[in-house]
Amino acid sequence: MSSKVMSLEEAAGLVRDGDRISFGGNVLHRAPMAMVRELARQNRKNLRIVKTAGAHDIDLLCATGSVESVDAGFVSYETEFGLAMHYRKAVEGGKVIGNEHACYTVICALRAAASGAPFMPVAGLKAGDLLQVADYFKVIQDPFSGEPVTVVKAIVPDVAVVHVQEADELGNAVIYGPKFEDALMSRAARKVIVTAEKIVPRSKIRMRPDLVDIPGFLVSAVVHAPRGAAPCSVEKAYDADTKAIERFLKLKAEEMDVYLREYETKDRGFKVGGFR
């Protein structure tokens, strides 16, 4: 079987303007930031982002004008950093459509997609204005009990981007620590891009196939991306860089090019076969 390892630039080329794209990780933990920054550098537009709980990834792409809509249960930084202001301004200014969910309803929408179903029941969502204004929720009659039940429309990402600790060249990927919705996204999406802290030999994966969270047959591209979640954290590798996040939060939208250049060498420094 042939290697799926690509450079970051090549893998980002699999994402097209207008794609629905889901990002793995959760808030400031294991977000695929190297790919997020590369999409911004390549000037992607009209992306429709899907994530249960987003922060720096969504905020950055809103600042660079790359986003058309966001389906998410939560978009904000963790307590010490406050709100995701670029996202907020984009929604308030009518530049980005914010499709409001609970994290659980995003999960149900992805489960529907992974199952090949057009929708999924959502237990507990029985009242509220969202049911009146959001066209991705419907209240239907349960054919068994006759009672009303809320369903959420399936969300099928064109591309899922997941950052992991280890992957082999075929795309078999291992996540250590919290897995969040990453494996689910890989089953729901049409294409999967894996960025990895380490590219490990196939033999290591074969020794413990039970540890594989995303099987290689689902994966279209693998990128060697050490510190590819920075300034967010990765379990067993590094913590969130609070100073870098604070510096970003002080930047205006027109200053994003400066921020992207700070990471360009680090993000693009690895190619197939070694360090560039």
Side-chain angles (χ1 to χ4, degrees), residues 221-232:
V222 182
V223 178
H224 186 202
R227 297 192 64 82
C232 300

Side-chain angles (χ1 to χ4, degrees), residues 123-275:
L125 182 58
K126 298 180 179 180
D129 291 343
L130 269 180
L131 298 181
Q132 309 302 319
V133 301
D135 61 3
Y136 41 90
F137 293 123
K138 298 290 183 183
V139 178
I140 64 174
Q141 186 181 55
D142 179 344
F144 298 102
S145 69
E147 297 295 320
V149 59
T150 301
V151 298
V152 62
K153 185 179 180 180
I155 295 177
V156 182
D158 295 298
V159 185
V161 183
V162 178
H163 187 70
V164 305
Q165 285 92 342
E166 294 181 353
D168 68 13
E169 63 179 351
L170 299 181
N172 297 297
V174 178
I175 299 170
Y176 296 106
K179 302 179 189 300
F180 308 120
E181 287 70 54
D182 296 39
L184 175 60
M185 288 178 181
S186 74
R187 274 67 168 178
R190 295 186 173 95
K191 289 186 289 191
V192 179
I193 299 172
V194 168
T195 64
E197 293 288 324
K198 296 179 181 179
I199 305 295
V200 300
R202 298 186 198 179
S203 58
K204 182 175 182 180
I205 298 295
R206 285 198 296 265
M207 288 174 64
R208 290 296 307 274
D210 55 305
L211 295 181
V212 172
D213 295 291
I214 301 174
F217 71 84
L218 295 176
V219 176
S220 298
V222 182
V223 178
H224 186 202
R227 297 192 64 82
C232 300
S233 73
V234 168
E235 180 86 3
K236 299 183 182 297
Y238 46 87
D239 293 327
D241 185 340
T242 58
K243 291 183 179 180
I245 295 169
E246 289 170 350
R247 186 168 65 252
F248 171 83
L249 292 173
K250 294 175 183 178
L251 295 176
K252 298 177 181 178
E254 56 268 25
E255 297 174 310
M256 287 300 120
D257 284 347
V258 175
Y259 182 77
L260 293 174
R261 283 197 298 271
E262 290 179 6
Y263 284 91
E264 187 166 356
T265 299
K266 297 174 184 176
D267 289 345
R268 293 179 169 180
F270 288 83
K271 63 176 183 177
V272 179
F275 191 77

